Amino acid sequence: CWITGQDPVGSDQGVNDIDGGLTTLQSPVFNISESSGLEVENYRWYTNDTGNAPAQDNWVVQAQDHQGTWMDLENTTASNRSWQEMNFLLSDYLTVGNSLRLRFQASDLGAGSVVEAGLDAFQLTSVLLLTDNASPVVTLNAPNGGETLAPNGTSDITWSQSDDIGVVHVEILLSSDSGATFDQTLAGGALNGIYNWTKAGQLGTTYRLKVICTDSAGNSTEAVSAADFSIGGPSAVAELPVHRLGLAQNSPNPFNPRTKISFSLPAQQNVELKIYSVEGRLVRTLLSEIRGAGAHEVVWSGRDNQGNQSSSGLYFYRLETDQGTLTRKMTLLK
């Protein structure tokens, strides 16, 4: 029921009827161990639009994947009363192993249809697949360190990005501890070089940004602010509003050997300011007393409660008051 060697140009000579069953043409097993990509090309003639049950039977083209499972390249009931040129890039449909087998099937399993099927000019071609092993190139332009931004309103975050197949996703992260952690996500999506950042009253001198660009192959590159930038100016840390409980980011951060910790109280109350290691061990109690309303400042020299110099690393400082507890991170460098 299959034709071979027929000239596939404007002729239906040699196309045969499929009657009352399933006809399968199966290829030999091809050794494709040295092929990075494969394209299947052929001409086909297929009609099932006449008889008592038109459009009820399928034309199916399949290939075996690396596990031996037959995967559809084409499965259609559409009639084409002419020779149609077909091509399939196998990597779009299945994972191919070291060998390949294809099969072509036409059926007349319905109630008395007229099904015609023909295959000609079959060709299996090795092709070079386009791969992308290159990550995007990203440069953070602003803020990149040294700037002072207003504590409210908006500021533009700008960066340049390029990639051979295109950047499809950008994520913008914010750090308030000089890049030790980036725990705030400002934006994410198909951004293209600029994002208008609406700030919500942040104050501090140790902010940094990270921009992560990802291409369609999943390759990512990140760019980070070269130095700290400020929100609200250098005096913002010492000018925390006195009408609420507040704990500022320590300054400088990272630090060696000393750093300043500022906080504000809305009313007189008991206050404890403690330093903890990342394991949760108490390192130093800086303050344990009653403090009045307003802004306060304490200096830590990096020493523990026994007077020993603490090692480099990440630390937490916690402000415990009658009205609540606040915690931030800081980094000691040697």
Side-chain angles (χ1 to χ4, degrees):
C1 296
W2 298 87
I3 63 167
T4 59
Q6 193 72 31
D7 183 9
V9 181
S11 170
D12 62 356
Q13 293 182 351
V15 177
N16 291 279
D17 290 345
I18 311 298
D19 191 15
L22 174 69
T23 300
T24 299
L25 178 65
Q26 188 163 284
S27 77
V29 177
F30 299 102
N31 183 347
I32 58 170
S33 58
E34 297 183 2
S35 300
S36 62
L38 289 168
E39 184 177 37
V40 175
E41 301 174 90
N42 62 266
Y43 282 84
R44 67 135 164 93
W45 179 298
Y46 181 69
T47 65
N48 69 349
D49 58 350
T50 55
N52 296 328
Q56 297 297 307
D57 298 291
N58 292 59
W59 165 262
V60 180
V61 180
Q62 296 179 317
Q64 276 188 321
D65 67 11
H66 67 297
Q67 295 179 331
T69 303
W70 289 102
M71 307 292 291
D72 284 353
L73 305 184
E74 184 180 17
N75 190 327
T76 182
T77 59
S79 289
N80 288 289
R81 199 170 294 276
S82 63
W83 286 103
Q84 304 291 316
E85 183 178 7
M86 310 298 297
N87 61 77
F88 311 95
L89 185 62
L90 290 184
S91 60
D92 292 341
Y93 300 88
L94 70 158
T95 300
V96 181
N98 293 326
S99 61
L100 175 69
R101 173 173 283 181
L102 296 126
R103 69 184 181 189
F104 305 82
Q105 294 180 324
S107 61
D108 184 12
L109 302 175
S113 289
V114 177
V115 178
E116 300 174 328
L119 177 74
D120 197 14
F122 170 81
Q123 183 170 296
L124 183 63
T125 307
S126 178
V127 296
L128 180 64
L129 294 179
L130 177 63
T131 58
D132 180 31
N133 296 317
S135 297
V137 177
V138 186
T139 302
L140 178 59
N141 298 322
N144 195 32
E147 300 92 341
T148 298
L149 309 181
N152 295 294
T154 63
S155 297
D156 285 340
I157 299 172
T158 61
W159 67 96
S160 60
Q161 61 188 49
S162 63
D163 187 70
D164 53 352
I165 62 173
V167 172
V168 297
H169 184 81
V170 176
E171 189 172 17
I172 303 175
L173 307 178
L174 177 68
S175 169
S176 59
D177 54 11
S178 298
T181 58
F182 287 88
D183 54 357
Q184 300 180 54
T185 300
L186 301 183
L191 308 176
N192 190 21
I194 187 169
Y195 174 72
N196 191 244
W197 174 25
T198 300
K199 301 183 295 300
Q202 293 105 323
L203 294 173
T205 60
T206 55
Y207 287 100
R208 297 195 188 195
L209 287 170
K210 178 187 290 186
V211 176
I212 306 172
C213 294
T214 305
D215 65 21
S216 60
N219 302 310
S220 295
T221 301
E222 63 184 44
V224 179
S225 300
D228 293 344
F229 63 89
S230 301
I231 300 178
S235 62
V237 175
E239 296 174 357
L240 288 167
V242 297
H243 63 277
R244 64 174 177 84
L245 181 67
L247 178 64
Q249 185 64 51
N250 65 300
S251 178
N253 185 50
F255 69 95
N256 180 22
R258 296 159 54 87
T259 190
K260 179 175 61 178
I261 300 173
S262 300
F263 62 93
S264 64
L265 302 173
Q268 179 174 294
Q269 57 196 288
N270 292 305
V271 175
E272 289 190 345
L273 183 61
K274 298 178 180 179
I275 311 295
Y276 293 89
S277 68
V278 292
E279 296 82 16
R281 177 180 56 86
L282 176 64
V283 176
R284 179 71 181 266
T285 299
L286 292 176
L287 195 64
S288 182
E289 60 188 42
I290 296 175
R291 286 282 182 113
H296 303 269
E297 187 176 284
V298 179
V299 174
W300 183 41
S301 62
R303 297 189 178 276
D304 61 18
N305 281 332
Q306 288 72 45
N308 301 315
Q309 187 65 45
S310 300
S311 59
S312 298
L314 183 66
Y315 292 86
F316 295 90
Y317 57 103
R318 179 181 299 170
L319 179 69
E320 301 175 6
T321 73
D322 296 341
Q323 294 182 309
T325 300
L326 299 173
T327 304
R328 283 184 176 268
K329 303 173 185 178
M330 61 182 168
T331 303
L332 171 60
L333 295 179
K334 293 292 185 63

